[in-house]
Every structure is written in C-alpha cells, then in structure tokens.
Amino acid sequence: MSAPASHSGGNVQSARPTTNGSSAGPMSMPPQRPSDASINVGTGGQSGAMSQQNLNGIVLEYLSKKGYNRTEAMLRMESANQDVDGRPMQTRVEDSGGVKYGKAFDLFRNWIEENLEIYKPDLRRLLWPVFVYSFLELVSEWYPKESRTFFNNYKEIFENEHESDLRVLQAIALPEHVHENPIAKIYHSQRYRVTLSQTAFYNLIGFLEHKEKEGGAVLVGVIQNRLTVVTVERTAEEQFSLAKLIERAQQPENFPAEDEGIPGHNPGSANITQGAGTTVLTRLKLGQITLDQESRQDVLGDLQDEDKVNPPAPGQPSLVEAFEQRIKREESEDVPGRTELPPRPPPLARDIAMEVQRMKENRDRFRISSRTGGVGPGVSVTMFTFHNTNDSITCLDFSADYRLVAAGFDMHYIRVWSLDGSPLPGPPQPDDQDSRPTASHRLIGHSGPVYNVSFAPATPSPDKQDITECKYLLSCSADMSVRLWSLESWACVVVYKGHDGPVWDVTWGPYGHYFLTGSLDRTARLWSTDRVDYLRLFVGHDRDVDHVCFHPNNAYVFTGSCDKMVRMWLVTNGYPVRMFTGHAGNITALACSPDGKILASADDSGTIILWDLAPGKLLKRMRGHGKGGIWSLTWSVESTVIVSGGADGTVRVWDVQLPNDASGQGRVVGEGGAGQKIEGTTQVSNVPGAGGKKKAKEVVVTSDQISAFPTKKSPVYKVMFTQQNLVLAGGAYLP
C-alpha cells in the first residue's frame, strides 16, 4: 500500500509500489495540480478567496519581470475599467443600455435652458427631433420599459406644439410598430431638417465634444444619423440677425421655422433635395385674368346702359370709369398667359351679367382700408345660428348670391335653407302630393357623413331675375364620392368617383366649371363638371389632404394637410411650385387673398399664418383663437382684412398690414363669451364665459387683432365676406 506524500525540504517523495505490495526506493514525482476550491491565499492573517484585483496584480508583476511591457500596458488599461469582482465599469453613457437616451436628453435639455437667451429659441428646435428619434431607437432596440419611461417623462414638453403627433406615437411599443405607425414611418424613413445660426451651431458642437462621455456621443449619433442641420451666417438671413434673435428670445412661445421639418426645404421652395439649385424659386404669375376683347366690349356696353339708367352719385365714379381703372390695373400685373391656364368654356350671357353685377357691387362696397390710428374698421357680422342640431352639422356654406345656406350632416344628407326664410321652389310633384313650397330642402344620396358643401360661383340677380343666381351645389362624403346637385330640380346630377378614401374637402374654382377635392388618400384632384374622371392628380403630402382652395386667377391651387404643410401647385401640369412649413398643428383652413399675393392658413392650435407667395416667405403669425381649430377664413375685397371663425365660438377680425408682436396677451373664453364685442386695440381682458361655469383659458392675442365677436356657445363653421364687405357667419348652438 502506498504511503502518503510528504513534504521535506521542498522535495516531494513517494514510495513506488511493487507488484507484491512492498514499497521500492524513493522516486521524484511531478506536483499534482490542486483543484480551484483548494486554492487559499492568506490576507491579513486570514484566508479567503483570491480577488480578481489580486490576481491581476500577480499577473502584472509576472509580466513586468519577464519584460512583456506592451502586454502589461494593455492589461493595465483594461483592468482599470473593472470593478473589484472583475466586471467592466461603465464610464460612458452610451454603454449604459436603454437608459442612455434618457440621460443624454436630460443633459441636452438642461444645457439648452442654461444657455444664453439669444441661442435658446434655435437650440430648442432640436429637442423635438432628438426626442422622437431617441424614442424610436429605444423601441427598435427592444427596450420596452425604458422607451415607455422615456416617452412619459418628456412628452409634456411638446404637448402644446405636437399634441396630435404625440397621440399617435404613444401607441408604439414594439419594433414592428415603428414600421407600421404612420408618424413613425415618416420620421424613420426621412431626415428632420433644422436650421441654426453658425454661432449656435458652434456652441452645440463645443458642448457635444466636451460632454462626450456624459451623453454627448449619444446625441451625436442621433443628430448625425437622423437630422440635417443647416447652418446660416448671421448676416446672410434676416431671421438670424441679432435683432431677430433677441426678439425671438423674448417671445413666450417658440414656433417651427419655415424650413424645418421632414424632409425640410429652403423657405418657400417645393424642391426638397439638398443639392445645388434648391434655393431657386419658380417664378409665379399672380395677376388677375383679364377678359378677352369680345367679352370686355359686352361688359362695357352693359355698364354704359346701367350708368344711363342709374347715374352715379356726386363724387362717385361711373361704372365705366371703375371698370376701365380695373382693366388698367390688371394689365400692369404679371398675368399668366392663356396657355398657362386650364381651358375655359366660351363665355355665356350669364358670365357677362355676373361681371356687370360684380362691378356694381365693387363700386358701391363699404371700403376697408385696414386699421388706422389705432381704430379698427367697423366690420359688420351677421351670424346665422342653427338650433336643435344635436351636434350633427359637419359643415356650412353660403351662396354667393346671398340667398341660400347649405349644411352637411353626419346622418348622410344635406339641407338647404333660404337665408331670408322665403319659400324655395320645389321639384315638380305628382298631383296627389302636397307641392306647397317650403323654406328648406333636403338632398339625399350620400351613404356616409357629408364633410363639406360648396355653392357654385354666383352673384345677386339684377332686377329680380335669376340669370346669375346659384344653380349648383357640390358635396363630398365619407363614401369616397363627390356629388353635383341641381338647385332647380333638387336632385343629384352627377356622381364623381376616383378617391381611395373619404373626401374631406371640395371647393369650386373662381370661374366655375372646375372644382378641387382633398382626401384621406393623401391626394388632391382637379375635376371639371363635364367629365366624371379627374383631370389632375396632386401628390406629395405625407398624410391626408384636409383642405383645398384655388388661386383667384385659376392658375394655381393650394392644399393643406395634417402633415402640417401647405403646398402650392400649378394647375396645368400638376407640379408643386411652393411649400410652406411653420404650423405647429394640423391645417384647418386655407384662403387666398383676392389680389392673389398672400395666402392665409390656419391650424388647430389657434394660429393664422400669412404667406407672401412670390418670395415664398412667412409674413407673420396671428393668434387669438382658443384651441380646437380655426375652421374658416375669408378676405375683404381690398385684401387688407381677414375674418376668422372657429371652435372657440368667436368671429375675429384681423389687420393684414399691421406688423404684430407677442406682447398683447389676454384671456378669452374657449367656448364663446357673453355676446359682447372685444376690441383688439389693447390687451384683451378676461371675458366671463356663458353661465360662468367654466374658467376662462389664457390665450395669447397678437396686436393685429382688430376686434372679436363672441357667440353664445356656437362654434363658427363658416365666415364669408360679401362683395360689399359685409360678413356672413354661421354656426350651430351647442348647449
């Protein structure tokens, strides 16, 4: 039997057994490798498990003795980022997993708020895209808990400006949602453009480099991969001048820039590429269309006869003089040629009579020359209120001959009333049915809610004749169709189909014959009444085309979408010629000025923006309406005053020519006031709500608001200037 090994003088000896069990002489054996559990290291007189730190020290000492200097240096560098147990220590935010975006965003936001005041407005524009892309990256990288925490922690910062987008993004929880969600698809597939002054950009770069380990590297990754940052010299653009920077820093709210967004573009330009030539704008011809020579002679002869029958008052120009002055003014403007316009049918006797009537109304109108000396013009508003509707009215329109009003209902029908309550002639009835005329007619044919109605162009008929009265009505519906109704037979004449979704808006062209529609299918389409198929397809919006309108010369059309963009298109070929960004909410109304030079657009945040069409520039923002949307805009004949109506139950009058500021602040009632007029020359005071049940909401009112007319809980669906500068307004009473 072998004897146990013994240690003597550092040598290991053992007895070599023989075949008969006796032991032979001593023989050297190699030392046996002990198990890991048997390794004990004395520490302070006590034994314990060898730590990773001690083991690293032993190895480093060995490498030093052997002269393996490069290996030793590499091990020292790697072991410096390990804790006591050998786990790597995270010294950089980008190595911290899903929480890295939250840490980086906190760092970024705090730095912006502690920056100089003149840089804050520009740098704050980076917060929204960084927030969206960080959230989408968290979801895509499968951090469900961290992504939800990140979204909930910071969404309140953007609720005022991006409320609708936040509602859609909130539903994203899984990576596949990023490729299915409509908003996420837009952001994930394109880059977000932001323009910064060079000084603000250099300030940003310095911060990102200085805070690289604390989160700067994470921010660099988001900005580099997802944003297009355009730098502009302070002297190159007026909006980045020192005076403008100081002015924006003093404003209570920060709005998107004209070139900000997805995919971004140079101000006004419809070219979204970043290559050369993107700053070149298409030349527009915005002048009014003149009559052809034959029609001009016919109109001139009728005006001469009218001057003989009804001579002008003392100091008043004759109709012939007023007509010749208008012709000279139109000929001096940049007018599109006949080849640049959609073809029109030959003029009829009705067209000549309408032109004569327009001249009479234009000469005899109440003239509005904007606010002067701090006193606003005395604009008169006639409000038509619909009762007992049960919130079922979806849209309203007044006929241009001021005889009729039409309302679309969510119960799939349209009802037309006479404005003065007089009976309307009805369709022929069989002898056995009651054929007594009534003050309204119901039009049935749609199989879905009616979203908009539009009367054909008309004028009041002279001498009680009906030659120029309104004859037709258009309607659009959720059933994806547009219907043309005869107002003589009170029946549907034509059904137009072509859209692949509900049709949100329809409007007539300024001369009739053509009309324009916008739909859920993200397209606008141009139609003519004599064809059932559309003539032009306008494609480019990322989301629904909610609102459409024509330019007064019929050469261009405008579309507004819930992608917060307004686009201008050439009718003859369907090409985009202008693109306007700057709204913080969904577009809810569009209206082009009668002189064709300015476009007004409104959104559901209560903001109206005026755009100068020729240079494609934003003129100014006008604020005063409460949240819920501005549903209708209309211009005075002189293009100097705008009237708006919306969900807050007020009709407001705005000065177009007066520059505004953000200093005029006040409190207005979101659902309407007590029926009193609010002057806009000073700060708006707190107007008590109807019944005093709800506390008034604070709304910034810019100084270019001339006056406001609150209703009694009646959202205003439609406002319209007549040719004599009187205002018609309509809404439904919602108790």
Side-chain angles (χ1 to χ4, degrees), residues 58 61 66 94 207 254 465 563 652 687 717:
I58 295 171
E61 184 179 358
K66 293 295 184 179
E94 58 264 35
F207 159 74
N254 193 19
Q465 299 177 2
D563 63 6
R652 297 178 184 267
V687 182
Y717 298 152

Side-chain angles (χ1 to χ4, degrees), residues 338-385:
R338 295 296 173 182
T339 60
E340 300 172 291
L341 294 169
R344 291 172 55 187
L348 304 175
R350 181 176 186 271
D351 300 316
I352 303 301
M354 288 177 60
E355 191 64 31
V356 171
Q357 182 62 24
R358 288 194 184 104
M359 282 305 308
K360 293 169 62 177
E361 289 186 322
N362 185 271
R363 186 196 64 174
D364 300 336
R365 73 184 188 277
F366 172 72
R367 300 180 185 276
I368 300 178
S369 58
S370 179
R371 180 165 54 182
T372 57
V375 179
V379 177
S380 297
V381 180
T382 301
M383 178 74 184
F384 293 87
T385 304

Side-chain angles (χ1 to χ4, degrees), residues 3 12 79 171 206 224-225 230 313 380 385 418 444 475 489 542 575 630 634:
V12 179
S79 61
Q224 183 175 355
N225 297 325
V230 180
S380 297
T385 304
S418 62
I444 300 175
S475 62
S489 63
D542 292 323
Y575 289 165
I630 299 172
T634 184

Side-chain angles (χ1 to χ4, degrees), residues 135-292:
F135 172 67
L136 295 179
E137 289 296 327
L138 281 170
V139 176
S140 299
E141 295 173 9
W142 201 265
Y143 290 108
K145 182 178 179 181
E146 290 84 352
S147 63
R148 186 53 47 198
T149 301
F150 179 85
F151 187 87
N152 293 333
N153 286 346
Y154 305 112
K155 66 178 182 179
E156 293 183 0
I157 306 172
F158 311 102
E159 284 182 344
N160 289 336
E161 184 177 333
H162 300 282
E163 184 178 2
S164 59
D165 287 352
L166 288 172
R167 282 198 302 267
V168 180
L169 291 173
Q170 192 169 12
I172 299 176
L174 300 174
E176 50 264 31
H177 294 169
V178 176
H179 303 286
E180 298 172 356
N181 186 283
I183 295 295
K185 286 171 62 178
I186 294 173
Y187 279 93
H188 201 261
S189 61
Q190 302 182 70
R191 301 172 73 95
Y192 193 100
R193 171 169 167 155
V194 178
T195 302
L196 299 178
S197 63
Q198 284 190 345
T199 50
F201 178 72
Y202 295 147
N203 193 5
L204 172 65
I205 294 300
F207 159 74
L208 295 176
E209 291 180 347
H210 180 65
K211 298 292 184 179
E212 179 183 2
K213 291 185 177 181
E214 292 90 337
V218 177
L219 296 171
V220 168
V222 174
I223 294 174
Q224 183 175 355
N225 297 325
R226 297 298 187 180
L227 273 66
T228 299
V229 180
V230 180
T231 58
V232 179
E233 293 184 10
R234 182 181 294 175
T235 56
E237 293 284 345
E238 182 184 359
Q239 62 173 327
F240 293 105
S241 64
L242 183 60
K244 286 293 184 180
L245 290 175
I246 295 175
E247 180 183 345
R248 286 207 302 271
Q250 296 174 346
Q251 292 179 357
E253 295 184 75
N254 193 19
F255 294 99
E258 297 175 58
D259 58 350
E260 180 183 333
I262 292 179
H265 61 101
N266 288 288
S269 174
N271 191 347
I272 62 176
T273 63
Q274 304 301 325
T278 56
T279 58
V280 178
L281 298 179
T282 303
R283 182 170 175 264
L284 302 181
K285 297 184 177 181
L286 305 175
Q288 300 297 316
I289 302 300
T290 58
L291 295 173
D292 59 78

Side-chain angles (χ1 to χ4, degrees), residues 485-504:
W485 305 87
S486 169
L487 300 181
E488 295 177 323
S489 63
W490 303 102
C492 179
V493 180
V494 186
V495 179
Y496 303 93
K497 295 184 178 181
H499 281 290
D500 295 327
V503 185
W504 301 129

